[in-house]
Amino acid sequence: MSTSEMFCFQCQEAGGGKGCTIKGVCGKEPDVAAMQDLLMYTAKGVAIVSHEKRKEAVLCETPNRYLADALFTTITNANFDLQVIADKVLKGLALREHIKQNIDLNALPENLRIHDALTWNAYTIPELEEKAKTVSVLNTVNEDIRSLRELLTYGLKGMAAYAEHALNLGYSDNDVFGFMEKGLIATLDDTLSVEELTGFVLECGKYGVNVMALLDKANTSTYGHPEITEVNIGTRNNPGILISGHDLKDLEELLEQTEGTGVDVYTHSEMLPAHYYPAFKKFEHFAGNYGNSWWKQTEEFETFNGPILFTTNCLVPPRKKSTYGQRVFTTGAAGFTGFSHIPDRPKGGQKNFRAIIDMAKTCEPPTAIESGTITGGFAHNQVTQLADKVVDAVKSGAIRKFLVMAGCDGRMKSREYYTEFAQKLPKDTVILTAGCAKYRYNKLPLGDIGGIPRVLDAGQCNDSYSLAVIALKLKEIFELNDINELPIAYNIAWYEQKAVIVLLALLYLGVKNIHLGPTLPAFLSPNVANVLVENFGIASITDVDQDIALLTGLT
């Protein structure tokens, strides 16, 4: 089966809860969606040959970097630039052919050696557009096989995002990339059963833990362990640059290049937790955080007045009447047609942010939209230092329950649930969070328990690993045999594919009874959803009061 229609159901906002078929709710046009599908198909072809080459125990830096970038580019809200995505397809085809010349193709299983993903080729955009019509996810007719293939694919996309951030800091794990290839190949293999694909999905969780640990090591080794920090959410009188996304290496280089220029740097959305790292605190012009979650950018970018740099996903296409479009720059996997793009750093060098800095100098300072501070920096190292205080609070009954409310935010009205949930939680509960989901409640006056804030922000969605480490540390301290015996409940919001790998990682660690919302993924078939429910206790959110009673043990 082939289709020329758009079909995408990889994010929480899938149209009608089933899939986007005319235009993505994210703003993605059908031709871009199709080219992203083709980029994924191309990456699978590269995976076949690079996995075979990896058997020679050689360093596979080039395919590692390509696979990370290709998968990251297709994450929701990362790249909307058709030409850029097409160029990455052509780059992948050239890489695939190069590796083919350096391996024994006869060593491949026959079903892979003759697979179209390994044999097709193209050289022009029209040829790519024609090919893109034939690689829809709907080509997999069996609903359960399709569901498992896509669940695995989206887990791999999330894995690739974390792996790329680590790569940018000089950290890599060939076993992670080896599994990434293995998983991509599995989505092409028509001989695999539902049970075998389920095994790949669960194994993806294992490597999800590994890649999150790798990124945690990369971040903390480079910038120090996050510390409890009050972050300014007001503005100064200097012109500013607003940096969004997740990549800390980009932030480091931007701060170095803006030092002494009279230009301040502000973080936006998922870049907020950068303020918690000691290495960034030496920059006096690192002014604070501006605005809220990613989906509010279309109004908040208007009032910032200066240039904006997107380092990764969470980009929203500007409205037709917006005035800030000419002030937006992208870099890395991010892209949008018409936005200026900062090229990758040369080997051993830095990215050149001069164009952004020069523009900032001509702009008015940002217009204040709020004032005050917010507190964060409760990653695993910091919480471990507070362990005695936390344990005493639990043993005394001052803290009865921890609620993990990590994950993503989104624009749907149904996400007001999470604000109401946080407001109504009993005063003897503490929220553990990471990711932009925190913007639903991190500015609420929820108070503290004996000096322990009732919202403990561990950082970006990239830092969800911290929440797992905290849980495992508490399990050790309380001398429990099962992580599920801890006074911790999970009410997680999801939006895109990095949340998928976090979920799979939690399942691998044995966490059960996770509530997931605001809706269950559209890519889960009824049978696959039932497997998650029956084996792991996955449940969807319902009514705030009912869920609070259930998750806090008040029933």
Side-chain angles (χ1 to χ4, degrees):
M1 172 184 173
S2 65
T3 177
S4 60
E5 297 178 358
M6 173 178 177
F7 185 80
C8 181
F9 61 174
Q10 70 174 359
C11 84
Q12 189 272 321
E13 289 184 341
K18 296 181 179 180
C20 296
T21 58
I22 299 174
K23 179 179 179 178
V25 173
C26 65
K28 184 167 56 179
E29 297 291 344
D31 56 349
V32 172
M35 196 61 70
Q36 288 187 351
D37 287 346
L38 187 60
L39 179 55
M40 283 300 305
Y41 192 66
T42 304
K44 293 174 183 181
V46 171
I48 293 173
V49 291
S50 61
H51 197 63
E52 186 63 28
K53 184 67 176 176
R54 192 176 298 275
K55 294 178 181 177
E56 300 175 10
V58 296
L59 182 64
C60 300
E61 182 176 350
T62 300
N64 285 359
R65 174 66 72 171
Y66 177 79
L67 290 174
D69 179 64
L71 270 64
F72 202 173
T73 296
T74 66
I75 279 182
T76 303
N77 283 350
N79 202 301
F80 299 80
D81 193 318
L82 179 68
Q83 182 65 57
V84 168
I85 299 167
D87 287 344
K88 293 185 180 189
V89 173
L90 294 174
K91 181 180 178 180
L93 292 175
L95 176 61
R96 185 197 69 189
E97 293 306 299
H98 173 74
I99 299 175
K100 281 169 68 173
Q101 299 304 314
N102 292 277
I103 62 171
D104 179 9
L105 289 173
N106 291 323
L108 294 171
E110 184 179 3
N111 65 324
L112 295 179
R113 188 171 65 251
I114 64 173
H115 199 288
D116 179 67
L118 196 61
T119 60
W120 80 279
N121 222 324
Y123 305 94
T124 66
I125 299 294
E127 288 177 313
L128 295 182
E129 289 178 325
E130 282 302 309
K131 181 63 178 179
K133 295 176 182 179
T134 71
V135 296
S136 167
V137 299
L138 295 177
N139 286 358
T140 303
V141 178
N142 183 291
E143 186 181 24
D144 295 332
I145 294 292
R146 181 197 309 150
S147 178
L148 289 165
R149 283 180 173 179
E150 296 311 303
L151 177 56
L152 176 57
T153 296
Y154 304 150
L156 294 172
K157 287 187 180 189
M159 187 185 299
Y162 297 142
E164 180 163 299
H165 289 307
L167 274 174
N168 290 342
L169 294 175
Y171 288 76
S172 183
D173 183 339
N174 268 328
D175 289 341
V176 166
F177 283 102
F179 177 77
M180 196 179 298
E181 293 164 347
K182 182 179 171 184
L184 288 171
I185 294 168
T187 66
L188 296 173
D189 192 344
D190 292 331
T191 69
L192 295 179
S193 66
V194 166
E195 291 74 19
E196 289 169 319
L197 277 171
T198 300
F200 275 103
V201 169
L202 297 179
E203 191 177 5
C204 188
K206 171 186 174 182
Y207 286 95
V209 173
N210 292 352
V211 76
M212 287 192 286
L214 176 71
L215 180 56
D216 180 77
K217 180 180 180 181
N219 286 341
T220 57
S221 298
T222 307
Y223 305 116
H225 284 282
E227 304 167 335
I228 299 174
T229 306
E230 285 193 3
V231 182
N232 174 43
I233 57 174
T235 58
R236 298 177 180 176
N237 293 323
N238 299 323
I241 295 172
L242 188 62
I243 182 168
S244 193
H246 307 75
D247 198 278
L248 297 182
K249 185 65 175 177
D250 288 338
L251 172 64
E252 177 189 7
E253 293 177 354
L254 179 65
L255 286 170
E256 290 175 349
Q257 293 175 37
T258 48
E259 195 166 25
T261 64
V263 174
D264 288 336
V265 174
Y266 294 80
T267 55
H268 169 257
S269 193
E270 280 278 58
M271 198 61 83
L272 160 65
H275 292 277
Y276 312 154
Y277 288 93
F280 298 130
K281 294 182 179 181
K282 67 182 180 181
F283 295 101
E284 294 182 0
H285 64 298
F286 195 26
N289 189 74
Y290 190 87
N292 296 278
S293 183
W294 62 271
W295 60 275
K296 290 191 175 182
Q297 65 188 256
T298 52
E299 55 188 83
E300 292 176 346
F301 287 0
E302 297 284 1
T303 56
F304 183 75
N305 300 326
I308 300 105
L309 173 64
F310 269 99
T311 64
T312 63
N313 60 312
C314 297
L315 187 159
V316 177
R319 297 167 180 162
K320 289 183 179 180
K321 294 183 179 181
S322 71
T323 62
Y324 67 82
Q326 73 273 17
R327 292 190 276 114
V328 180
F329 293 76
T330 60
T331 193
F336 188 83
T337 304
F339 288 174
S340 297
H341 189 79
I342 305 298
D344 291 340
R345 58 185 61 83
K347 194 173 183 65
Q350 288 192 341
K351 291 184 179 179
N352 184 354
F353 294 120
R354 176 53 53 191
I356 305 175
I357 298 168
D358 289 344
M359 177 183 287
K361 292 177 179 178
T362 70
C363 297
E364 292 294 317
T367 301
I369 56 176
E370 56 189 340
S371 61
T373 62
I374 50 177
T375 302
F378 295 93
H380 62 87
N381 186 69
Q382 183 66 80
V383 174
T384 298
Q385 293 178 28
L386 298 172
D388 290 343
K389 192 174 184 178
V390 171
V391 170
D392 288 344
V394 173
K395 287 182 176 179
S396 71
I399 295 178
R400 180 163 52 86
K401 200 86 171 185
F402 293 93
L403 279 299
V404 174
M405 294 179 65
C408 315
D409 194 17
R411 63 198 126 204
M412 288 186 173
K413 186 173 177 61
S414 58
R415 289 182 182 264
E416 293 176 1
Y417 162 96
Y418 294 101
T419 303
E420 184 182 352
F421 188 94
Q423 289 173 320
K424 288 186 173 182
L425 276 173
K427 303 301 183 186
D428 57 358
T429 60
V430 172
I431 295 171
L432 300 174
T433 191
C436 61
K438 62 175 158 275
Y439 281 102
R440 287 288 171 175
Y441 41 79
N442 68 340
K443 297 173 184 178
L444 297 176
L446 298 180
D448 64 86
I449 300 174
I452 300 172
R454 291 193 56 230
V455 176
L456 300 181
D457 176 21
Q460 299 179 337
C461 57
N462 296 4
D463 301 311
S464 296
Y465 175 73
S466 266
L467 303 182
V469 172
I470 291 168
L472 292 172
K473 183 64 177 178
L474 290 174
K475 172 176 171 282
E476 176 188 328
I477 291 171
F478 286 111
E479 298 181 342
L480 300 174
N481 295 319
D482 188 340
I483 196 171
N484 297 292
E485 296 175 6
L486 285 166
I488 300 178
Y490 296 80
N491 193 6
I492 295 177
W494 82 285
Y495 178 74
E496 43 92 338
Q497 296 77 63
K498 283 181 284 183
V500 175
I501 191 60
V502 171
L503 174 64
L504 295 180
L506 289 173
L507 298 183
Y508 170 75
L509 291 172
V511 176
K512 294 188 177 181
N513 303 319
I514 296 172
H515 276 55
L516 193 62
T519 57
L520 291 180
F523 54 80
L524 293 182
S525 68
N527 288 333
V528 172
N530 285 338
V531 169
L532 294 176
V533 170
E534 292 171 4
N535 292 308
F536 300 100
I538 296 288
S540 58
I541 61 172
T542 57
D543 170 76
V544 168
D545 294 327
Q546 179 179 325
D547 287 347
I548 286 178
L550 178 63
L551 293 173
T552 62
L554 294 177
T555 52

